[in-house]
Amino acid sequence: MLLLATFRLTRRKLRERDLIATNPTWWHLGQSDVSSAIASITRTQLDAELVELRSKVSIANGGNNEVSLVRGDLLSENLPQIKADVIITSPPYLTRIDYVKATLPELVVLSRLDEELSIEQLRKAMIGSPVVGRGPDCMPSHIGEYAKSILTQIASHESKASRTYYLAFFSAYISRMISALEKIGGMSRPGARMVLVVQGSHYKEIFVDLAHLATDFANFAGFELVSRANFNFKQSFAQLNPRANGYSSETAQETALLFKRSY
């Protein structure tokens, strides 16, 4: 809880200093800016933040539940030896948002506590990272007909860099999502429930239905779709960038997908 309080206060102080970049999903800062923000946090501010957080936790669970935190990288070989009954996650969307840059204040705080945490390496390794290089060396043997059609449309698009950067970006996302869901499948008990929250996006005029892709990939990993629910909203994270193309009728909607582990 102390770490969460530090996150919240650090972000608040950085926002007060107007360190948002031209793209408002990024932070225009370095480690010295974060260090200065942390140093400016007073004991009074920290105590007040902790009181607020404790009241919210108490309301949520009565303050009696214990939580164990396990850190792991789903794309690595060294995964925690656990078997889950419930998985709730919202994987990065196909919007080319740099989630590492978007959460840079928290990551810089963590990197000060963990010398092994490399922000630049994390940017390259993230699912949905815009830093993709040439893309994956090889694709999974099964990606589904819908994923194939999306990659074919992008590869044949006349827009600049469609066959190079953008094809590599979408290919890397698909490859990493399939791998991550297969790892989740291996860490789940038979009958386990999984909830994925996703959002569609566009490449130029091509609508990419991430709910469709995620359902296909989850099926490959041994999960069966039980139900889905769509939720409309007025502003998405991607739309914070004023230069982003708006296709509001199809992208201003998130989808919650409920799956059951079939074996």
Side-chain angles (χ1 to χ4, degrees):
M1 192 170 292
L2 179 61
L3 192 57
L4 178 57
T6 305
F7 287 163
R8 288 162 59 97
L9 287 168
T10 300
R11 183 174 282 264
R12 194 174 302 150
K13 288 180 175 292
L14 291 169
R15 189 177 291 111
E16 291 171 355
R17 299 182 187 185
D18 196 24
L19 290 171
I20 295 289
T22 304
N23 177 348
T25 62
W26 284 34
W27 289 86
H28 184 65
L29 55 78
Q31 187 164 343
S32 61
D33 297 302
V34 177
S35 298
S36 177
I38 295 171
S40 68
I41 296 173
T42 66
R43 178 62 182 269
T44 300
Q45 291 171 331
L46 189 58
D47 287 343
E49 195 71 23
L50 287 170
V51 168
E52 180 182 351
L53 289 173
R54 288 192 183 104
S55 68
K56 292 179 178 178
V57 171
S58 178
I59 291 172
N61 61 20
N64 297 320
N65 295 335
E66 294 185 0
V67 176
S68 296
L69 180 62
V70 179
R71 190 178 71 176
D73 178 1
L74 278 176
L75 300 180
S76 72
E77 297 300 324
N78 300 318
L79 290 173
Q81 298 300 307
I82 62 173
K83 288 293 182 180
D85 294 300
V86 179
I87 303 99
I88 302 174
T89 183
S90 180
Y93 301 157
L94 259 169
T95 53
R96 291 199 307 118
I97 292 291
D98 193 326
Y99 287 88
V100 173
K101 285 288 188 180
T103 56
L104 198 57
E106 291 84 355
L107 289 171
V108 172
V109 171
L110 289 174
S111 69
R112 291 165 58 86
L113 302 174
D114 184 352
E115 295 180 356
E116 296 182 0
L117 177 61
S118 168
I119 292 172
E120 287 308 311
Q121 289 180 3
L122 187 59
R123 288 187 70 205
K124 295 176 182 178
M126 280 280 291
I127 295 174
S129 170
V131 185
V132 295
R134 65 179 185 180
D137 292 330
C138 62
M139 293 293 288
S141 58
H142 52 281
I143 66 173
E145 293 304 316
Y146 182 63
K148 289 179 182 177
S149 71
I150 293 296
L151 295 180
T152 299
Q153 291 180 71
I154 293 170
S156 61
H157 200 280
E158 62 184 11
S159 182
K160 182 179 180 181
S162 290
R163 298 174 186 83
T164 53
Y165 171 79
Y166 289 102
L167 181 60
F169 166 73
F170 280 90
S171 297
Y173 183 93
I174 289 171
S175 176
R176 290 175 178 178
M177 272 287 286
I178 290 175
S179 178
L181 286 169
E182 287 177 343
K183 296 289 182 65
I184 289 175
M187 298 168 67
S188 304
R189 299 182 192 278
R193 298 300 199 271
M194 177 173 70
V195 176
L196 299 182
V197 178
V198 297
Q199 179 190 336
S201 60
H202 276 84
Y203 175 65
K204 308 303 180 182
E205 75 284 357
I206 302 168
F207 176 59
V208 183
D209 186 349
L210 186 52
H212 189 161
L213 287 173
T215 299
D216 286 347
F217 301 160
N219 289 160
F220 301 152
F223 290 93
E224 296 178 353
L225 182 65
V226 176
S227 64
R228 61 176 288 168
N230 298 323
F231 302 91
N232 295 322
F233 53 90
K234 294 182 179 180
Q235 186 181 50
S236 70
F237 195 30
Q239 290 169 334
L240 288 174
N241 185 351
R243 294 174 294 178
N245 292 327
Y247 298 89
S248 59
S249 63
E250 291 177 302
T251 56
Q253 186 180 80
E254 287 186 320
T255 301
L257 302 166
L258 173 62
F259 297 93
K260 179 180 178 181
R261 176 77 171 163
S262 53
Y263 57 84

